[in-house]
Each structure stands twice: as C-alpha cells, then as structure tokens.
Amino acid sequence: MIHAEAEAEVLDAIAYYEDRQAGLRRAFREDLEATLDRIRRMPGTFAPIDDQGTRKHRFQRFPYTIYYVELDDVIWIAAIAHQKRRPGYWSRRRLPSVGDP
C-alpha cells in the first residue's frame, strides 16, 4: 500500500532522471524495485524512527529513502523521499484508517 503522494514522488523522480541522461530512468526504477524488494523480504530489519513505527531504507545508488510502516498484512509506504530535499516533510502523513482505499 502506498500513499498517493509517495506515488507522485516516484513519478516526479522518474521524470527528472528521464530528462537528465539516457538510461537513468531505468536505473532509478531498478534501484526502487530492489529497495522495495529488500523491504518486503525483511521489513523488520530496519529500526523504527518514530512512535508510529515508521522505518526507513535507503536506495543503493540514488539519493532516495523509502519511509514505511510494517502493518499486520501489508507494508504502508509513507514516502519515497529525496535525501537532501525538505527533510521530514512527509512526517505528517498518517496511516490510512480501516476501510480507506
């Protein structure tokens, strides 16, 4: 499950890298997928950073971090944030209530 604004962050990053250099869009997507895969396989590996249980995991190549919360049956992605831009801007995002899309 991914926050709508986190989805927009991915699209913005893809557009940015697409305009920079041939192949960067693909490399970004591969790094994103590899990071998501590590989170799916080992969600509890990374220490919580707040009282909501938010955890973070950095991309290997690109300057992005995924902030997420491990729930009972799903991982909620709060943000896919650039590491140097507007630190903590995403922290007001809250877990969806039961029944929310």
Side-chain angles (χ1 to χ4, degrees):
M1 177 185 323
I2 185 167
H3 192 283
E5 291 180 59
E7 285 186 38
E9 291 158 359
V10 169
L11 296 176
D12 289 345
I14 288 170
Y16 174 82
Y17 288 115
E18 183 174 350
D19 290 342
R20 291 291 171 246
Q21 180 181 340
L24 275 183
R25 173 188 178 168
R26 177 183 295 179
F28 178 84
R29 290 182 71 85
E30 289 171 355
D31 203 1
L32 169 66
E33 289 302 321
T35 305
L36 287 170
D37 185 55
R38 283 189 299 278
I39 290 169
R40 284 185 205 109
R41 286 185 289 112
M42 307 174 296
T45 300
F46 312 102
I49 60 170
D50 63 18
D51 60 354
Q52 187 173 310
T54 305
R55 300 169 190 266
K56 67 179 183 176
H57 187 42
R58 298 175 80 162
F59 282 37
Q60 293 291 323
R61 177 176 176 192
F62 290 85
Y64 282 81
T65 299
I66 296 178
Y67 293 90
Y68 68 96
V69 177
E70 181 183 11
L71 303 172
D72 290 338
D73 57 347
V74 70
I75 295 170
W76 179 67
I77 307 294
I80 299 174
H82 192 283
Q83 295 165 2
K84 302 285 184 185
R85 297 184 199 141
R86 301 180 302 140
Y89 71 91
W90 55 269
S91 63
R92 293 180 185 244
R93 296 179 187 171
R94 295 290 167 235
L95 289 165
S97 299
V98 174
D100 285 353

